[in-house]
Amino acid sequence: MKNTLITTLKGKPILNGELLFDNYKISFRNDTDLFVINIVVLGIISIINGLNWHKHFYSNDLFDQIIYPLGFFMPALFLMFLIIKYPLAKKMNKAEFKPNDLKSVIVKKTIYGISFTFHLHNNSEQKFKCKQDRKSDKLIAFLKKSEVEIITV
């Protein structure tokens, strides 16, 4: 087994995550258990706020007519967002590939950071956004050394 140094890029593929790479592979990691905890907590908050809204449903107070529905719908919308994103996060957590599995990599640099789009030979793609620093430059150097087609936008 080689003695390799794993470099970690922290970014936002799907609600926080990490891109890990060493001398021979690239992998993604995020905390899917955190998704489950957030889904449970937002579900409880939505239920409690829905019950409070039901209790004050016939109130004539303008404050009750605005705050209680808003207190129900905001967590419910975030809950739906997390439920939709959970399978994608779980799928991304298992993504692992070697440089020879890559067709091309699209690198897009902005003033806020850098985004990578990895196109694989099996016609799938993985996206990752992070800040531009020496670790992201190290990833680009690793990809160039591995002779992967890099498309800069």
Side-chain angles (χ1 to χ4, degrees), residues 105-110 113-115 117 119 150-153:
V105 177
I106 297 175
V107 179
K108 184 177 179 183
K109 294 181 180 181
T110 64
I114 187 167
S115 67
T117 304
H119 294 283
I150 298 175
I151 303 167
T152 306
V153 179

Side-chain angles (χ1 to χ4, degrees), residues 25 31 48 57 59 83 123 136:
K25 72 177 177 180
D31 193 1
I48 291 171
F57 192 73
S59 174
I83 289 172
N123 293 328
S136 59

